[in-house]
Amino acid sequence: MSKEFLPFTRPSIDEDTIAGVVEVLRSGWITSGPQVREFEARLSDYFGGRPVRALSSATGGMEIGLALAGVGPGDEVITTPLSWVATANVILRAGARPVFVDVEPHSRNIDLSRIEAAITPLTRALLPVDMAGLPVDRTRLNEIARRHQLRVLEDAAQSMGASWQGERIGATGDLVSISFHANKNLTTAEGGCLVLNDEQEARRCELWRLQGVERFPNGDLDSTLPGGKHNLTDIAARIGLGQLARLEEFNARRRVLARRYFECFDRSLGCELPLEDFTSSNWHMFQIVLPGHVERGAFIEQMYAAGIGIGVHYPAIHLLTLYRQMGFKPGDFPIAEHIGRGIVTLPLFPAMRDQDVERVCEQTARTLKALGGQVRAAGQPNVATVSGR
Ligand SMILES: *Cc1c(COP(=O)(O)O)cnc(C)c1O
């Protein structure tokens, strides 16, 4: 490789945060404690004073959210087929059935105009995803939920710092789950949070978070529900505090880089670009859909050979083996399948330089021209060709 390797994402952890983590390590208290309480308080401020509980992952947060929404065996939850598989897996783990509704081609988010046709007497909740941090229309979403008396669990895993009509994602709505996985706009290495409606719901979230255990001043303890193990460590919370202080700066930098992509990207290559949104999105990812004749694996390989990391987020969930075994099949959700087959994530993270964007655009053009004649093998399985997320 002639040039320094450019990954598709990389967290920005500053020296102050590292020193803070070292302090926590030396403090004698490393699991959930004062740092978690402080992180939750700062997050609550960020979300307009709503109750927030920190968790070890957004996946755990969504499992808790579904439990709080009363979703269980026999229920249906409406969601998108174009997401990280956690979005649908948590529905299965609750014993409920995921009902997929295809996405819109431009936003790549669930098509709200098709949701009402998918609602049945068994529908209990809506579980939308903000792909790449581009928010689903919250006004229409909440209106549908109200009309049909459904709970909403927002899989806002990617939406930290995004907004809808000037209000932060998380500051409004029903249950909102956000991820602090290493790739997200705010990270705690692994972690997440759930934004809740009131203190009573927050208390129940705490029970689901840790074995349903309640402790009493006299030393007794009791357990009233089969909670799991989803608490965040103080080490992770300290990273989150350092990240939260810089979130606006990070997201501003992401927006600048995304704009640069739109300026530099050669639109004659036949790729589908993301929606050009500079009011709501937090630009968690910059994703293009490759032209149909280009074999994605070959594209990723050649970009990698040129020192550029490419991600795949995500193949359509209903075509993964687990879901095919449930009866889902190719053709069920054609737009999600089309996007899931050709989507790639180009490098975008706050520490990237403007010239890195130019380099990615130039190399993408070179690679696509070189692959011009290569046709995707028929019947090739729709799975990610790279490991990791
Ligand atoms: C990252 C992500 C998750 C899972 O978050 P974890 O914190 O890794 O559990 C769920 N849904 C979407 C859309 C994500 O991007």
Side-chain angles (χ1 to χ4, degrees):
M1 278 173 222
S2 52
K3 282 183 185 165
E4 181 193 343
F5 183 73
L6 180 69
F8 74 81
T9 191
R10 191 171 63 208
S12 294
I13 311 287
D14 56 35
E15 289 305 318
D16 178 68
T17 303
I18 293 168
V21 167
V22 170
E23 235 173 81
V24 171
L25 287 168
R26 291 199 171 119
S27 73
W29 193 287
I30 56 177
T31 187
S32 313
Q35 300 296 323
V36 167
R37 284 193 292 277
E38 175 68 11
F39 188 37
E40 288 179 339
R42 296 287 75 79
L43 287 169
S44 179
D45 291 345
Y46 188 80
F47 297 123
R50 295 186 70 192
V52 180
R53 292 298 177 269
L55 302 158
S56 53
S57 75
T59 304
M62 290 195 291
E63 289 185 22
I64 293 172
L66 290 175
L68 293 173
V71 172
D75 293 335
E76 293 178 355
V77 177
I78 293 178
T79 192
T80 169
L82 192 70
S83 182
W84 173 234
V85 65
T87 307
N89 279 359
V90 295
I91 299 170
L92 295 180
R93 287 174 63 82
R97 205 168 75 83
V99 173
F100 296 111
V101 167
D102 209 351
V103 298
E104 299 168 334
H106 303 296
S107 70
R108 301 164 185 165
N109 285 333
I110 192 164
D111 186 342
L112 294 171
S113 72
R114 300 193 202 206
I115 284 186
E116 288 192 293
I119 294 174
T120 77
L122 300 177
T123 308
R124 196 69 175 238
L126 306 178
L127 210 176
V129 175
D130 304 321
M131 262 292 276
L134 177 70
V136 167
D137 180 335
R138 293 298 196 275
T139 315
R140 283 175 69 199
L141 174 77
N142 292 324
E143 199 181 284
I144 295 168
R146 244 191 325 271
R147 191 154 51 230
H148 297 271
Q149 298 186 323
L150 301 173
R151 293 297 301 262
V152 178
L153 171 58
E154 299 177 17
D155 180 351
Q158 305 181 358
S159 321
M160 192 65 188
S163 62
W164 177 253
Q165 292 185 339
E167 296 208 77
R168 277 181 186 145
I169 298 304
T172 64
D174 188 352
L175 295 159
V176 185
S177 167
I178 293 171
S179 174
F180 305 139
H181 172 262
N183 288 356
K184 303 303 201 291
N185 290 30
L186 183 160
T187 186
T188 59
E190 296 285 356
C193 73
L194 194 59
V195 188
L196 301 132
N197 289 290
D198 51 45
E199 285 306 324
Q200 197 196 339
E201 200 176 55
R203 180 67 197 127
R204 286 185 67 75
C205 174
E206 288 172 11
L207 295 176
W208 284 110
R209 175 169 68 179
L210 199 61
Q211 318 293 359
V213 160
E214 211 170 338
R215 292 178 182 279
F216 301 97
N218 69 354
D220 285 353
L221 69 80
D222 194 14
S223 179
T224 48
L225 54 82
K229 182 69 162 73
H230 302 291
N231 57 305
L232 191 72
T233 69
D234 261 19
I235 300 167
R238 181 60 188 83
I239 303 174
L241 283 165
Q243 291 269 293
L244 186 55
R246 299 191 56 193
L247 181 67
E248 299 310 307
E249 171 202 336
F250 288 161
N251 285 352
R253 181 68 191 143
R254 286 176 178 275
R255 277 192 293 277
V256 166
L257 292 164
R259 271 191 202 282
R260 193 83 197 105
Y261 265 116
F262 284 109
E263 285 162 11
C264 295
F265 202 88
D266 179 350
R267 289 166 198 251
S268 74
L269 295 168
C271 297
E272 295 165 35
L273 297 192
L275 220 134
E276 214 164 331
D277 172 293
F278 288 99
T279 49
S280 307
S281 178
N282 66 1
W283 286 100
H284 170 56
M285 296 189 279
F286 192 95
Q287 300 176 289
I288 58 168
V289 179
L290 299 173
H293 66 271
V294 174
E295 208 270 296
R296 178 165 59 189
F299 175 79
I300 292 169
E301 224 169 83
Q302 294 204 11
M303 292 294 283
Y304 187 81
I308 296 172
I310 299 292
V312 174
H313 310 89
Y314 305 92
I317 294 172
H318 68 286
L319 297 183
L320 305 177
T321 298
L322 174 64
Y323 292 86
R324 285 189 194 236
Q325 284 168 347
M326 295 171 58
F328 294 107
K329 57 188 187 310
D332 285 350
F333 309 102
I335 303 170
E337 289 168 28
H338 163 76
I339 296 170
R341 222 167 14 241
I343 200 163
V344 290
T345 304
L346 304 181
L348 179 62
F349 53 89
M352 245 171 90
R353 301 160 304 181
D354 291 10
Q355 61 261 40
D356 292 326
V357 175
E358 289 143 32
R359 178 182 161 203
V360 174
C361 290
E362 283 161 21
Q363 188 57 47
T364 298
R366 218 173 293 131
T367 302
L368 287 177
K369 281 169 190 162
L371 291 173
Q374 210 158 331
V375 174
R376 186 195 307 278
Q380 188 177 314
N382 182 11
V383 293
T385 49
V386 288
S387 61
R389 300 141 54 174

